[in-house]
């Protein structure tokens, strides 16, 4: 049993016992856990803090190594790293259970860029801790803004993300292409030709294009890229208008539905990031949509595509430009922690320029500290952090601010609708009409056409 499953089971049992005793069931209302909080500096008292961290790719190993570096400097502190489910909605579900129980089991949460608005009430204001303002000032202002709710810094950025197109340099050359695709149509044609050729040469497992098609947050990211690059907007606009029901959005979804079973395996409808990466890294795909983390793993010694690929911006649709969805993760300190000061110190250490540099070099995880994009060691390890800098700074945000605290519900309605189109259950126009009504019910916003 995974450790978080065990903890969850214990939490559930505790809350059942509490209700059985007639005590009030914990609600989601925040209760600052300051009574038991220590104010002692990290070095004077034996303290354990636990981080709920991601485990996609190398994330867990990198986090554990960083935790060890903190412990080496602070012998009285034990930093435990708890791995959490890969899929964003599953991870959110786990976090919500901890919050519901006001659990002090987890002190630091790795939170998605889309969550500050939905989850702010459960976190402390990091600005009250030494060094936070200085570190925040070294970060991209837009990311700090995203982590600022009612003037409080509720998460310190750890790494940022943007969707990229991975392509096989060797295969493009073999099939006579001198450049990667600039449009989705070109991508389709190249993927088909390479797929046909590789299969004829004996690799029946070969596919043209792999991406994230499972019904989860990753699909929201991919679909936003298809739609925005086609001029179909961002589901809900920053000024709180529902814009998803438009012909360019529907056209983009029909395009992607046409890939399933032709240039992408039927199984892509169950793919998350790691499924796509595994197929790609085994050498069985010409193109892949994924985040930067797949770069260092793809170039590792055990990878079949080592030295045989590169990354470029995702292709353009009707809008004439590609779109990369903005992703990324922050570290937030729980209000229910018994040691928020130590937890804040750990979080700020993990998010420091020195630590971000290690993560960038070893894990191709994009820094949020701006100066690292000029760091020669970082650029040597991950050259595209320099060449694709504009992609990272212009990435398209999901409508989490405009729909907070209901973003997760918005995204869930969206990816379910998209998944039904990809599966062939509904046509895109009908699905988007229905989605618009559902979003109106949920949010009470008006509809508009995208700008
Ligand atoms: C990546 C992104 C995150 C996004 C997730 C979707 O982890 O950083 O923002 O929500 O992928 O699967």
């Amino acid at each position: 049993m995974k450790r978080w499953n065990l903890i969850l089971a214990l939490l559930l049992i505790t809350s059942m016992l509490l209700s059985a005793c007639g005590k009030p069931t914990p609600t989601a209302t925040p209760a600052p856990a300051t009574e038991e909080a220590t104010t002692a500096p990290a070095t004077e008292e034996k303290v354990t803090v636990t981080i709920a961290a991601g485990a996609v790719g190398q994330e867990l190993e990198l986090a554990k190594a960083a935790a060890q570096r903190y412990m080496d400097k602070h012998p009285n502190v034990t930093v435990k790293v708890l791995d959490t489910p890969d899929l964003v909605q599953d991870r959110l579900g786990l976090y919500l259970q901890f919050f519901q129980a006001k659990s002090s089991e987890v002190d630091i949460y790795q939170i998605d860029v889309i969550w500050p608005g939905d989850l702010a009430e459960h976190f402390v204001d990091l600005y009250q801790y030494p060094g936070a303002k200085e570190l925040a000032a070294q970060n991209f202002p837009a990311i700090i803004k995203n982590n600022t709710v009612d003037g409080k810094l509720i998460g310190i950025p750890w790494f940022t993300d943007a969707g990229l197109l991975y392509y096989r340099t060797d295969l493009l050359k073999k099939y006579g292409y001198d450049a990667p695709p600039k449009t989705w149509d070109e991508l389709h044609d190249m993927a088909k030709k390479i797929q046909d050729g590789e299969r004829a040469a004996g690799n029946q497992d070969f596919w043209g294009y792999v991406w994230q098609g499972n019904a989860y947050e990753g699909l929201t990211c991919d679909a936003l890229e298809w739609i925005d690059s086609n001029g179909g907007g961002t589901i809900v606009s920053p000024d709180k208008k529902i814009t998803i029901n438009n012909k360019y959005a529907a056209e983009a979804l029909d395009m992607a539905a046409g890939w399933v079973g032709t240039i992408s395996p039927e199984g892509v409808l169950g793919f998350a990031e790691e499924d796509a990466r595994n197929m790609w890294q085994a050498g069985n795909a010409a193109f892949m949509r994924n985040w930067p983390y797949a770069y260092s793993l793809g170039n590792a010694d055990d990878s079949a595509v080592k030295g045989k690929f590169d990354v470029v911006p995702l292709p353009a649709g009707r809008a004439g430009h590609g779109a990369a969805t903005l992703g990324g993760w922050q570290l937030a300190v729980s209000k229910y922690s018994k040691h928020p000061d130590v937890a804040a110190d750990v979080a700020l250490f993990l998010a420091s320029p020195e630590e971000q540099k290690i993560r960038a070099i070893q894990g191709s995880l994009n820094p949020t500290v701006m100066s690292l994009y000029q760091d020669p060691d970082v650029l040597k390890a991950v050259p595209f952090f320099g060449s694709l800098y504009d992609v990272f700074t212009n990435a398209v945000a999901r409508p989490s601010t405009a729909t907070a605290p209901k973003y997760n519900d918005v995204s869930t309605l969206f990816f379910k609708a998209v998944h039904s189109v990809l599966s062939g259950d509904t046509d895109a126009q009908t699905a988007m009409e229905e989605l618009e009504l559902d979003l109106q019910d949920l949010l009470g916003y008006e509809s508009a056409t995208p700008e």
Side-chain angles (χ1 to χ4, degrees):
M1 189 191 258
K2 282 218 179 197
R3 195 165 161 246
W4 51 262
N5 274 338
L6 192 64
I7 292 178
L8 200 58
L10 288 172
L11 275 174
L12 290 175
I13 292 166
T14 316
S15 83
M16 275 157 58
L17 285 175
L18 276 177
S19 344
C21 296
K23 296 220 176 105
T25 316
T27 67
T29 322
T34 43
E35 275 164 43
E36 291 168 279
T38 172
T39 47
T43 43
E44 285 177 16
E45 190 196 345
K46 291 244 183 258
V47 165
T48 298
V49 294
T50 300
I51 311 174
V56 175
Q58 306 178 79
E59 272 188 286
L60 199 62
E61 295 87 87
L62 289 168
K64 284 185 174 163
Q68 188 56 53
R69 284 190 288 276
Y70 184 89
M71 292 191 276
D72 292 345
K73 288 192 179 154
H74 303 270
N76 287 341
V77 180
T78 303
V79 182
K80 288 193 180 155
V81 182
L82 180 71
D83 67 333
T84 61
D86 281 2
L87 298 194
V88 163
Q89 272 72 25
D90 295 346
R91 196 179 298 176
L92 180 63
L94 176 71
Y95 287 10
L96 291 175
Q97 307 251 19
F98 282 118
F99 298 144
Q100 172 77 12
K102 294 195 180 135
S103 170
S104 59
E105 191 72 38
V106 174
D107 301 277
I108 304 171
Y109 289 87
Q110 177 180 331
I111 61 162
D112 201 330
V113 68
I114 50 184
W115 291 344
D118 283 15
L119 300 183
E121 60 177 306
H122 303 292
F123 301 125
V124 305
D125 178 9
L126 289 170
Y127 276 139
Q128 59 188 311
Y129 297 101
K133 277 206 174 70
E134 293 74 9
L135 179 55
Q138 298 182 53
N139 276 264
F140 287 110
I143 304 181
I144 293 298
K145 191 171 167 220
N146 187 64
N147 282 298
T148 308
V149 179
D150 297 332
K152 298 183 179 128
L153 185 67
I154 61 102
I156 189 77
W158 205 12
F159 66 101
T160 183
D161 251 345
L164 299 171
L165 182 70
Y166 287 73
Y167 70 98
R168 288 280 298 274
T169 44
D170 58 332
L171 293 178
L172 257 60
K173 200 163 164 221
K174 177 172 168 189
Y175 290 89
Y177 298 111
D178 53 15
K182 290 223 163 3
T183 64
W184 292 114
D185 288 346
E186 280 173 25
L187 174 112
H188 175 271
D189 294 349
M190 290 163 84
K192 180 83 175 70
K193 184 167 164 187
I194 299 173
Q195 179 179 300
D196 289 348
E198 292 301 290
R199 288 197 185 174
N203 185 357
Q204 290 309 313
D205 297 329
F206 195 90
W207 287 95
Y209 187 36
V210 291
W211 37 279
Q212 293 75 44
N214 196 353
Y216 79 117
E217 190 63 30
L219 178 56
T220 294
C221 296
D222 286 39
L224 178 63
E225 287 159 353
W226 311 326
I227 292 174
D228 192 60
S229 69
N230 206 43
T234 57
I235 312 165
V236 176
S237 65
D239 63 350
K240 303 193 177 192
K241 299 279 180 343
I242 296 162
T243 59
I244 190 59
N245 183 16
N246 68 79
K247 65 176 181 207
Y248 301 130
E251 186 180 69
L253 296 180
D254 281 331
M255 166 188 80
W259 298 336
V260 180
T262 57
I263 57 167
S264 305
E266 298 277 356
V268 82
L269 296 178
F271 272 21
E273 285 81 0
E274 288 290 81
D275 307 296
R277 182 175 70 82
N278 287 336
M279 188 172 267
W280 157 264
Q281 212 169 288
N284 289 331
F287 297 99
M288 169 176 74
R289 185 273 178 207
N290 217 323
W291 308 99
Y293 85 95
Y295 185 84
S296 60
L297 288 162
N299 275 320
D301 286 338
D302 64 355
S303 163
V305 298
K306 181 182 178 182
K308 295 182 184 166
F309 71 93
D310 208 344
V311 293
V312 280
L314 285 161
R318 204 181 271 279
H321 58 76
T325 295
L326 176 70
W329 294 84
Q330 353 290 316
L331 294 169
V333 172
S334 169
K335 270 192 175 165
Y336 319 117
S337 164
K338 288 186 178 149
H339 309 287
D341 55 344
V342 181
D345 197 54
V346 173
L348 294 171
F349 169 84
L350 295 174
S352 66
E354 295 74 21
E355 286 297 321
Q356 289 205 11
K357 178 167 174 174
I358 297 173
R359 293 162 62 78
I361 292 173
Q362 295 180 1
S364 55
L365 292 170
N366 279 64
T368 59
V369 167
M370 293 179 283
S371 61
L372 289 173
Y373 288 84
Q374 266 103 53
D375 185 296
D377 303 329
V378 170
L379 293 178
K380 184 162 174 261
V382 197
F384 72 83
F385 280 0
S387 56
L388 299 187
Y389 184 74
D390 286 352
V391 173
F392 302 120
T393 50
N394 293 317
V396 180
R398 284 162 274 172
S400 53
T401 304
T403 63
K406 293 189 179 157
Y407 171 73
N408 189 55
D409 302 318
V410 170
S411 179
T412 304
L413 287 171
F414 176 67
F415 67 64
K416 283 191 173 158
V418 172
H419 199 264
S420 75
V421 176
L422 298 176
S423 316
D425 296 342
T426 329
D427 67 274
Q429 194 191 326
T430 311
M432 294 305 102
E433 279 166 13
E434 286 171 4
L435 175 63
E436 177 180 45
L437 296 175
D438 288 343
L439 290 177
Q440 282 168 354
D441 282 350
L442 176 71
L443 299 168
Y445 299 170
E446 286 174 5
S447 295
T449 46
E451 308 241 305

